Amino acid sequence: MRILSIETSCDETGISIIEASDKTITILGNALASQIDIHAQYGGVFPALAKRAHAEKIVPLLTQALTEAQLLEKIDTPLNTNLEETKLLNDLAFLDQKETDLKAHLVPFLVTYQKPAIDCIAVTTGPGLEPALWVGINTAKALSLVWGIPVIPINHMEGHVLVTLLKNNNETNNIHHAQQYTLQELQFPALALLVSGGHTELVLIEDYGVYKKIGQTQDDAVGEAFDKVARVLGVPYPGGPMVSKLAETFRSSGFAQEITLPRPMLHSGDYNFSYSGIKTAVLYKVRDITEAQQSPLTDIQKQMIACAFEDAAIEVLVKKTLRAIDEYHTQTIIVGGGVAANTYLRSTLAQKVPQTTTVLFPEHWLSTDNSVMIAIAAYLNTTYAKQSNIVDTSNLRADGNLSITEGGFRNN
Ligand code: KG4
Ligand code: ZN
């Protein structure tokens, strides 16, 4: 089965092509463009700009990924003002109102290239920024109509979960053409700790496609807290990875930690989280220090604060995860989402789980947003999940608040 996948939920535009056969996955093509430079000046993702950048980038990335997969061939006789071209323009008429930029890129692509040897298209339908999600969905819809292949709507968070099952069979981690992976078996029930810029959740996985949320953040997500602390420390967006680096530098410096930050909801007795309090505590701490010394934070003070923050943020995640492992008797823990790239979370969790527990992290390059994860979720859903996920393209829609328990499509 060959799947073309599309991810545009936030600030990364991704197109991948995978070949899936039983437990073997080959990444035939993968193209990803980040919008970090565009949003850095605003300190966060600006939805209208995200939409425009996705619409600009998606067709060049489609060309790039299909070329890498060696699946792109030109049409022998270019379409003229004949029936075929009329049909194509009719098919794409739905883009006329809101996606004129996208259409301007799609038409020349579709009149130049033949339908590639692809079986279906997987696209992220939520959660995320709706204007951004729509670009991916409308691209999927256009390709589906013109090429006559189905679309599988995919939940972004489910992508983060299932991509952790990829086991690298290659010697290097480079994102090269025709990388081969094996899909690990998932033992149910499994537990997923989902940690990203928009989510902090503990989810029980009872079977493929069967998710039960047991806890979630009551306010900010942990990745969002990393990004906000970064801003307070003067680190540019998205600051999560940099805050983590500062913390690491402090840990290895041997200096004594002088700051303790609160661990919100650590003893709440449930699996919910809260991250807005730690962020505010950091803000007050920085204000107190800089007022007392009448000068900005020194480098070592920044590292100390980053470390105190990371210790507090990660301790709550790890302790609640350990408690859930105990209560639900899960032997496999999946850590998914951008914050799964965090080295301290990886080492602490791996060290603290019971010996019989397997912890699955995504490969580093698949931790943050990407489209490979969307293709993997589509394959596992169509192959192992109980219900078919293929929907009529006219019913496809962006769903900003889609929950992992709803899969890629909310029926209401
Ligand atoms: O999953 P993702 O790429 O996008 C969303 O769906 O939100 O996650 C991005 C989030 C950002 O908040 C970013 O700062 C955080 O993941 N992040 C990290 C690290 N790498 C990315 N946070 C802490 N440590 C990291 N190494
Ligand atoms: Zn994500």
Side-chain angles (χ1 to χ4, degrees), residues 222-285:
V222 61
E224 188 180 357
F226 266 93
D227 296 337
K228 286 180 175 169
V229 167
R231 218 182 313 171
V232 174
L233 297 179
V235 174
Y237 170 87
M242 191 60 195
V243 167
S244 180
K245 270 204 193 96
L246 292 174
E248 213 54 62
T249 309
F250 185 80
R251 265 183 221 106
S252 53
S253 73
F255 284 108
Q257 177 61 274
E258 293 165 10
I259 298 166
T260 314
L261 292 170
R263 270 84 171 139
M265 299 189 77
L266 184 60
H267 303 292
S268 61
D270 56 20
Y271 296 107
N272 291 329
F273 302 92
S274 163
Y275 279 99
S276 69
I278 313 189
K279 168 206 70 192
T280 314
V282 168
L283 197 67
Y284 288 151
K285 189 63 77 183

Side-chain angles (χ1 to χ4, degrees), residues 178-410:
Q179 282 265 42
Q180 266 210 359
Y181 291 81
T182 307
L183 272 176
Q184 281 174 256
E185 287 281 346
L186 188 52
Q187 306 290 329
F188 301 107
L191 184 73
L193 172 66
L194 296 180
V195 280
S196 70
H199 291 77
T200 309
E201 296 176 350
L202 273 166
V203 176
L204 198 63
I205 312 175
E206 294 174 337
D207 200 344
Y208 287 110
V210 185
Y211 300 94
K212 206 168 122 192
K213 219 182 274 184
I214 60 169
Q216 62 189 325
T217 183
Q218 308 293 290
D219 40 58
D220 291 355
V222 61
E224 188 180 357
F226 266 93
D227 296 337
K228 286 180 175 169
V229 167
R231 218 182 313 171
V232 174
L233 297 179
V235 174
Y237 170 87
M242 191 60 195
V243 167
S244 180
K245 270 204 193 96
L246 292 174
E248 213 54 62
T249 309
F250 185 80
R251 265 183 221 106
S252 53
S253 73
F255 284 108
Q257 177 61 274
E258 293 165 10
I259 298 166
T260 314
L261 292 170
R263 270 84 171 139
M265 299 189 77
L266 184 60
H267 303 292
S268 61
D270 56 20
Y271 296 107
N272 291 329
F273 302 92
S274 163
Y275 279 99
S276 69
I278 313 189
K279 168 206 70 192
T280 314
V282 168
L283 197 67
Y284 288 151
K285 189 63 77 183
V286 170
R287 194 195 55 192
D288 292 349
I289 295 174
T290 51
E291 274 181 13
Q293 68 193 24
Q294 295 284 302
S295 63
L297 293 177
T298 62
D299 284 350
I300 188 76
Q301 284 172 330
K302 284 186 186 176
Q303 293 160 11
M304 186 185 283
I305 293 168
C307 185
F309 164 73
E310 192 175 62
D311 282 347
I314 303 298
E315 184 181 332
V316 184
L317 292 179
V318 171
K319 290 233 165 108
K320 297 224 172 190
T321 304
L322 292 177
R323 196 139 41 80
I325 294 174
D326 195 41
E327 180 176 343
Y328 293 97
H329 310 292
T330 51
Q331 298 200 329
T332 305
I333 310 302
I334 283 175
V335 187
V339 184
N342 185 278
T343 326
Y344 187 62
L345 171 62
R346 286 181 179 235
S347 59
T348 317
L349 201 56
Q351 206 184 1
K352 300 245 161 111
V353 293
Q355 270 194 337
T356 49
T357 309
T358 308
V359 190
L360 301 178
F361 291 103
E363 295 216 4
H364 267 287
W365 71 279
L366 296 170
S367 295
T368 44
D369 289 351
N370 64 87
S371 45
V372 171
M373 68 187 201
I374 303 307
I376 301 298
Y379 175 60
L380 287 169
N381 277 348
T382 47
T383 313
Y384 299 105
K386 303 268 185 298
Q387 75 281 23
S388 162
N389 266 321
I390 295 173
V391 298
D392 186 329
T393 52
S394 58
N395 290 331
L396 280 174
R397 62 175 184 269
D399 195 336
N401 296 316
L402 199 62
S403 161
I404 190 164
T405 55
E406 293 161 327
F409 191 74
R410 194 181 342 204

